[in-house]
Amino acid sequence: MAEITAAAVKDLREKTGAGMMDCKAALVENAGDIEAAVDWLRKKGLSKAAKKSGRIAAEGAVGLKVAGKRAAVVEVNSETDFVARNQQFQELVRVIAGVAEQVGEDVAAILAAAAPAGGTISDAIASAIATIGENITLRRAGVLSVDEGAVASYIHNMVADGLGKIGVVVALQSSGKSDELLTLGRQIAMHIAAANPLAVDPAGIDADTVARERAILAEKATAQGKPANVIDKIVESGLKSYYKEVCLLDQPFVVDPSKSVGQALKECEGRVGAPVKLTAFRRYALGEGIEKQSNDFAAEVAAAAGTR
């Protein structure tokens, strides 16, 4: 049996885009002959992944994995919404979420991590691409944990257990009753799904975002002819209103809009039996920020027919 080197496997993968394990198997089957291995992969349909990797993937699913006081949320994209109902794809998202919960939120580390069925997560994605026939990508991952307390979650527009269009995880640090914390945490997660805050509080908002908002407020006040000595006060007042709109703790709580999320947390401490601090959250909405390709089917047919 010919020796299969790591360099040969890497070379074959670069040529075909197939998974590492598939490339090694192809070389073993063909006694190390690269060209024969390429043909073997093509016959198996495993070399298609590279050709599909450039296509826009803005559909798919957001997946959650909660394990005690730690949780992960991932976004795995496909080209069409139909794939989100594919059981193989759904299981792939669950596997990726489970691995993310273990290794953390760095995408490169997740892709390089071992998959339960063998090979790496990157190999599992390449195999799914070849089988399903669409480009599939792991776009992002978020992982939260607490030393004591609870990490609550919520999936919106659920397509299967733990999978949906919007996924939220919330970390509540507290030594109080875990069942009360989970109930409140789920309510806050639902609020986050609906209200889409930028940060927990003003300190968490990107400095460039605050500077841009400050400049807009100052420009508006100047255009309205406000005197220079009051513009700063107008800007500061405007920023306070802005923070109420985009900071989680300042937003009106969707469960009871008469109070803010921060007030609801404070009131909950009596039921929990200890102070409660909301330390972080992650909210992933499927496809947000991805420019989706718009296809004019009639134009494509006309172009193919040579009429345009």
Side-chain angles (χ1 to χ4, degrees), residues 30-180:
N30 294 278
D33 186 320
I34 291 283
E35 294 306 318
V38 170
D39 291 342
W40 187 89
L41 287 168
R42 290 182 62 191
K43 291 173 185 176
K44 295 283 187 180
L46 296 172
S47 65
K48 296 178 181 179
K51 295 179 181 179
K52 294 181 173 70
S53 64
R55 304 205 305 231
I56 294 173
E59 300 294 343
V62 174
L64 290 176
K65 172 64 177 179
V66 180
K69 298 173 184 175
R70 185 176 171 89
V73 56
V74 300
E75 180 183 354
V76 182
N77 297 125
S78 60
E79 294 179 53
T80 66
D81 180 60
F82 179 77
V83 169
R85 300 189 292 275
N86 179 290
Q87 289 188 354
Q88 181 186 359
F89 177 80
Q90 292 176 356
E91 183 56 29
L92 174 67
V93 178
R94 291 191 186 98
V95 165
I96 292 173
V99 169
E101 186 272 321
Q102 292 290 319
V103 306
E105 56 188 32
D106 182 75
V107 170
I110 297 168
L111 292 174
T120 65
I121 291 297
S122 182
D123 294 332
I125 292 174
S127 179
I129 291 172
T131 304
I132 294 172
E134 286 195 11
N135 186 23
I136 296 171
T137 60
L138 169 59
R139 183 186 182 195
R140 51 184 173 168
V143 179
L144 297 182
S145 64
V146 292
D147 297 326
E148 57 177 358
V151 178
S153 64
Y154 171 68
I155 281 282
H156 187 66
N157 284 343
M158 186 180 293
V159 296
D161 186 35
L163 309 175
K165 300 285 188 179
I166 299 176
V168 180
V169 290
V170 181
L172 298 176
Q173 188 83 24
S174 177
S175 60
K177 301 174 184 175
S178 59
D179 56 340
E180 291 286 353

Side-chain angles (χ1 to χ4, degrees), residues 183-199:
T183 297
L184 177 64
R186 179 173 170 77
Q187 290 177 338
I188 294 175
M190 293 173 71
H191 168 97
I192 293 168
N196 192 18
L198 292 182

